Amino acid sequence: MADLTAPTANWVDPHVMMMDPYDTYEKLRAESPVTWVPAVNKYLITGYPECHSVELDQTVFSARVSGSGATMIRALGENPMLRKDDPEHAVERQAINPTLRPRSVTQVWAPIFDRNADRFLAALSDAGPDKADLNRDFAAPLASQNLIDMLGLPGVDTTTMSRWSHALIAGTGNLLDDARIWDAADTARTEIDELLADLIPHYAQHPDHSITSALVASGLPHRTAAANVKLTIAGGMNEPQHMVTNMVWALDNHPDQRRHVQTDPSSWTAVFDETARWLSPIGMYPRETTCETVLGGIALPAGAPLGVVVAAANRDPRHVADHPELFDIHRPKLPHLAFGSGVHLCAGHWAAKSSIGQIAVPKLFDAFPTLRVDHSRETQWNGWVFRGLTTLPITWDD
């Protein structure tokens, strides 16, 4: 049978997806795992086998994207490793790998993560059970401070880091070309570049365990090192921040599973992995075909702009056979794509598992055993390219 032309989904509304994308993902998957979506000017790939195939073949599916897919390059002002293929990507990735491997995470970073968690648990307690917001008072500042420490950015406070990260991540996801988003991203980029103009020469003379120091020590050009610091600022806060709130929200809505994990702390790993699968903080990233190809039975031209929708793939019933739309920490362990795969597997995934899955959220429930979502106040979700809770009011019994 001849390869099929991708169906066109004129009905997809990005504004609806910003509020909740999962109904859209289910409809797209049911129609075709590869669909042309005019509203975002991309072929959206929503099937697990198809997304996985893209991740494993950088020869045909390149990270070097153009057109509307180049929003990351526009936001950061330079092409970081995430938008490069091997061997160029490998050179830059190898620079930071040692400081993010499990041994370094355990020996160097875990004690810092633990100290930071204690600091912001105290701040959360000070906010009080009537006014506390988990994102504002704990998840965001904790993710900010962990990122400041890992990057080695002295003098930067958590409010500034949060602003930088949100501005750059919004720019990276600015598919609708919102001028206000570009203005904020430009301001953040300029401020970071001014800091790095002094900091990169400093680390050339005074190396330490930080990611910035590792990039400098590798001998990469100043612009390349700076681009990857900005990449880490953009992506290194968003995912851990949203994993804190997503894990709490998931357990609050599944009290039996919450009771289980609070009596069996060994289950925290399963909570982290299942939350990442079910509520993937990074929902989509771009790729571009280098030649004519076929994916999921759909013919694609050379230069096709692709959106690899890992948040949809992680709920594909062809991969997760038993009710993939449900949160279930007891399901058999399955691989997922929340941290990517192949050569572009998220460099910080071990740090995220340690800082959030093994330290921050378990300590949160130890400190506040009766912690729960405060349904008398409004909870807000936002995003589909990057998705998470922007407001999560919580309360607990004094």
Side-chain angles (χ1 to χ4, degrees), residues 21-222:
Y22 285 101
D23 285 346
T24 298
Y25 294 162
E26 186 174 352
K27 292 175 184 176
L28 285 171
R29 270 199 319 267
E31 188 169 350
S32 173
V34 181
T35 310
W36 174 249
V37 180
V40 296
N41 197 35
K42 291 182 186 297
Y43 294 90
L44 291 189
I45 306 167
T46 52
Y48 188 97
E50 293 76 21
C51 286
H52 196 226
S53 295
V54 169
E55 292 194 325
L56 298 182
D57 190 352
Q58 59 181 321
T59 301
V60 175
F61 305 103
S62 176
R64 284 190 171 276
V65 295
S66 58
S68 63
T71 49
M72 175 173 283
I73 300 171
R74 165 69 176 82
L76 304 185
E78 183 73 11
N79 195 13
M81 69 177 79
L82 198 61
R83 291 295 174 260
K84 296 178 181 177
D85 300 316
D86 288 341
E88 192 178 11
H89 163 268
V91 171
E92 297 175 30
R93 175 64 178 261
Q94 287 166 6
I96 65 170
N97 277 343
T99 197
L100 292 171
R101 287 181 179 138
R103 183 175 180 180
S104 292
V105 170
T106 300
Q107 295 182 352
V108 177
W109 301 118
I112 295 172
F113 297 154
D114 192 78
R115 179 195 69 201
N116 290 342
D118 286 341
R119 171 186 168 187
F120 292 107
L121 283 171
L124 182 66
S125 180
D126 289 343
D130 297 326
K131 297 182 179 179
D133 182 281
L134 187 62
N135 184 57
R136 180 195 66 215
D137 300 323
F138 183 68
L142 174 63
S144 295
Q145 189 61 58
N146 285 345
L147 192 54
I148 291 166
D149 291 333
M150 294 186 72
L151 280 167
L153 303 181
V156 177
D157 59 45
T158 58
T159 300
T160 299
M161 174 58 76
S162 180
R163 176 173 58 82
W164 285 349
S165 183
H166 290 156
L168 294 180
I169 211 71
T172 298
N174 192 17
L175 299 179
L176 301 181
D177 203 28
D178 187 321
R180 292 171 300 176
I181 290 176
W182 288 135
D183 287 344
D186 291 345
T187 298
R189 183 180 67 250
T190 299
E191 292 174 359
I192 297 165
D193 284 338
E194 289 173 352
L195 172 66
L196 294 177
D198 294 327
L199 203 56
I200 286 178
H202 168 80
Y203 279 126
Q205 299 297 321
H206 307 282
D208 64 10
H209 292 289
S210 70
I211 293 171
T212 304
S213 180
L215 287 164
V216 173
S218 70
L220 292 170
H222 179 119

Side-chain angles (χ1 to χ4, degrees), residues 147 165 169 230-240 282 346 386:
L147 192 54
S165 183
I169 211 71
K230 286 178 283 188
L231 171 68
T232 307
I233 290 173
M237 180 180 164
N238 181 74
E239 190 159 24
I282 298 176
C346 176
F386 303 95

